[in-house]
């Protein structure tokens, strides 16, 4: 089993090197208005394979491996969410003619916000999912503890990886589905067993350093913010702060889903919500 579901045969794989010396793996599938999907922490473009399958009949779906994951290489860290927003903007320029809808989950949601703020002329619509304008409370303490654990040189045993990380990713009903748990257990063990601890440190620290609360107030890009009712990592209340602060913000909460339910659990439900939002966007001129 692959760590993430695999892209189907119609997906195209490209390489893009930016002026900052970042060489990214980029995946493109479908035809129609351009939608750039930004991966979350510890994830790659492959996390959106099921969304591409669902949406590529009406949209040209693009994603890329971010700094610190997959086949993308970059100058040595540290790096910031704003650095990764420039990478996203480079993808928009190279593959979308300079303008696209941008959507991302978790860290990808932060990058989506940062891209809209720094490059409003390149973002037709921002759809951050499972996101925050600033990470605080329980989520901040949890992420800081994970960073500190890795900085101390501690590695979790293989048999602890899936039970630990899946609890933050999926709702209880999903975890107690035997068929789904068998898939998640295998994929999450593979994913985090082979993860370079320093890459996780750099990505997660960039998330903790990010704060766009003031910048959202003056960003002209329309925002449709998607929250998941059973999300432990970024509770709906955190997502709603983003939509409330945005000049033109709309809030959506999908019931019964967790932080990473768009992979394996309920990809069709997330894709349906995305299609509902994307179908409202005027055709590009």
């Amino acid at each position: 089993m692959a760590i993430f579901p695999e892209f189907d045969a119609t997906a195209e794989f490209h390489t893009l090197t930016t002026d900052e010396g970042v060489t990214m793996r980029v995946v493109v599938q479908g035809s129609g208005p351009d939608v750039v999907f930004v991966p979350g922490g510890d994830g790659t473009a492959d996390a959106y394979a099921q969304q591409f399958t669902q949406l590529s009949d009406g949209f040209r779906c693009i994603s890329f491996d971010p700094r610190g994951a997959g086949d993308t290489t970059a100058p040595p860290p540290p790096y910031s969410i704003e650095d990764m927003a420039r990478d996203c903007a480079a993808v928009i320029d190279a593959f979308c003619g300079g303008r696209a809808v941008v959507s991302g989950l978790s860290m990808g949601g932060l990058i989506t916000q940062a891209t809209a703020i720094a490059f409003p002329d390149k973002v037709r619509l921002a759809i951050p999912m499972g996101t925050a304008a600033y990470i605080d409370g329980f989520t901040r303490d949890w992420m800081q503890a994970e960073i500190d654990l890795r900085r101390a040189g501690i590695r979790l045993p293989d048999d602890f990886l899936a039970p630990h990380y899946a609890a933050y990713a999926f709702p209880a009903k999903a975890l107690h589905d035997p068929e789904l748990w068998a898939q998640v257990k295998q994929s999450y063990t593979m994913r985090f067993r082979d993860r370079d601890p320093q890459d996780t440190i750099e990505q997660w620290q960039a998330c903790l350093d990010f704060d766009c609360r003031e910048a959202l107030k003056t960003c002209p890009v329309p925002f449709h913010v998607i929250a998941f009712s059973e999300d432990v990592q970024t509770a709906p209340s955190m997502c709603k702060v983003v939509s409330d602060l945005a000049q033109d913000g709309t809030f959506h909460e999908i019931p019964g889903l967790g932080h990473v339910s768009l992979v394996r659990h309920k990809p069709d439900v997330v894709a349906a919500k995305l299609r509902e939002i994307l179908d409202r966007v005027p055709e590009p001129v």
Side-chain angles (χ1 to χ4, degrees):
M1 176 186 293
I3 292 176
F4 293 106
E6 296 181 355
F7 289 103
D8 67 34
T10 63
E12 302 172 359
F13 299 86
H14 304 268
T15 300
L16 171 66
T17 299
T18 74
D19 293 340
E20 296 184 19
V22 180
T23 298
M24 289 178 279
R25 170 182 174 256
V26 181
V27 186
V28 180
Q29 184 176 346
S31 60
D34 293 322
V35 184
V36 175
F37 290 92
V38 189
D42 306 303
T44 63
D46 306 76
Y48 290 108
Q50 291 173 303
Q51 299 303 303
F52 278 33
T53 298
Q54 299 261 355
L55 297 170
S56 58
D57 61 331
F59 303 94
R60 185 165 174 263
C61 302
I62 302 105
S63 190
F64 59 96
D65 294 352
R67 300 189 193 203
D71 293 332
T72 285
T73 60
Y79 41 77
S80 66
I81 295 297
E82 288 78 10
D83 292 332
M84 291 185 271
R86 291 196 298 277
D87 299 340
C88 182
V91 170
I92 294 171
D93 285 343
F95 292 91
C96 309
R99 201 155 188 256
V101 173
V102 180
S103 180
L105 172 69
S106 195
M107 182 185 78
L110 308 188
I111 297 168
T112 297
Q113 293 177 71
T115 305
I117 289 165
F119 305 97
D121 57 318
K122 299 183 187 298
V123 181
R124 298 175 59 215
L125 172 69
I127 313 176
M129 303 180 285
T131 193
Y134 173 74
I135 296 171
D136 57 5
F138 161 77
T139 302
R140 188 171 196 88
D141 289 345
W142 166 60
M143 293 182 69
Q144 188 63 61
E146 293 271 358
I147 291 169
D148 292 344
L149 179 142
R150 287 169 175 78
R151 284 180 173 156
I154 298 171
R155 297 187 72 109
L156 299 179
D158 286 0
D159 59 1
F160 188 70
L161 294 172
H164 175 61
Y165 289 110
Y168 292 94
F170 299 97
K173 286 185 178 179
L175 293 174
H176 288 273
D177 176 333
E179 183 177 349
L180 179 63
W181 172 242
Q183 297 177 33
V184 169
K185 180 178 179 180
Q186 184 175 354
S187 65
Y188 268 54
T189 300
M190 294 168 58
R191 177 180 175 185
F192 289 101
R193 178 185 61 206
D194 298 330
R195 183 82 172 125
D196 184 335
Q198 192 60 42
D199 286 339
T200 292
I201 289 170
E202 298 299 341
Q203 285 194 340
W204 288 34
Q205 187 62 57
C207 293
L208 290 184
D209 292 341
F210 183 68
D211 185 348
C212 69
R213 287 174 289 185
E214 287 302 315
L216 279 172
K217 298 175 183 178
T218 57
C219 180
V221 175
F223 274 70
H224 279 256
V225 182
I226 297 177
F228 309 108
S229 69
E230 305 302 316
D231 190 341
V232 175
Q233 292 191 43
T234 50
S237 57
M238 298 172 73
C239 299
K240 194 167 188 307
V241 170
V242 177
S243 61
D244 287 349
L245 287 173
Q247 278 194 344
D248 181 2
T250 303
F251 178 73
H252 308 264
E253 181 174 336
I254 305 178
L257 270 60
H259 192 66
V260 194
S261 283
L262 87 169
V263 181
R264 289 198 169 93
H265 177 216
K266 295 288 185 180
D268 54 333
V269 174
V270 178
K273 173 57 70 173
L274 287 168
R275 187 183 295 274
E276 173 192 318
I277 295 168
L278 292 168
D279 281 344
R280 301 177 190 168
V281 183
E283 288 290 328
V285 294

